[in-house]
Amino acid sequence: MKLYQIAHSRTGDKGNISTISVIAYNQEDYPLLCEQLTEDKVISWFAKIGATRVKRYEVPSLGALNFVLENTLGGGVTRSLSLDKHGKSLSGLMLEMDLG
């Protein structure tokens, strides 16, 4: 199953740091998100675009996980040659992850 089948996502950025929130559509799927979306899995998934560190924060009351990823934006908005300097498409990349 793909992550997008049970959750949606939002992103933000500051410099070369991107934040990605993953929010379960249904609260009963939140434990699965906690189990499957580990820091190790997320860093492995985003290593191909340069991520060097991931920190996960849990927000059980919202059924959400928030990930802070370092070095994912090619140096940030003013330095990157990337077409997506703000990293908004990273939420789509996250949601393509396989669960299970």
Side-chain angles (χ1 to χ4, degrees):
M1 156 181 16
K2 295 284 188 179
L3 178 56
Y4 64 78
Q5 294 176 279
I6 64 166
H8 61 100
S9 181
R10 300 282 296 168
T11 62
D13 60 86
K14 188 68 170 177
N16 201 24
I17 297 172
S18 180
T19 59
I20 304 175
S21 296
V22 177
I23 307 105
Y25 291 125
N26 298 302
Q27 189 68 28
E28 61 266 13
D29 290 325
Y30 180 66
L32 179 63
L33 294 181
C34 290
E35 175 189 313
Q36 293 288 315
L37 296 180
T38 63
E39 290 176 347
D40 288 340
K41 184 171 184 174
V42 172
I43 190 71
S44 176
W45 188 252
F46 286 97
K48 60 189 162 206
I49 62 165
T52 57
R53 188 162 71 166
V54 172
K55 177 70 178 161
R56 181 178 96 168
Y57 297 92
E58 299 178 4
V59 190
S61 61
L62 298 177
L65 299 174
N66 189 53
F67 296 90
V68 178
L69 297 90
E70 295 185 13
N71 298 311
T72 55
L73 299 174
V77 173
T78 58
R79 298 184 66 190
S80 177
L81 297 177
S82 171
L83 293 175
D84 180 22
K85 299 175 195 145
H86 294 280
K88 301 300 181 196
S89 64
L90 295 182
S91 63
L93 181 59
M94 174 76 95
L95 292 173
E96 283 294 325
M97 292 177 78
D98 290 311
L99 300 177

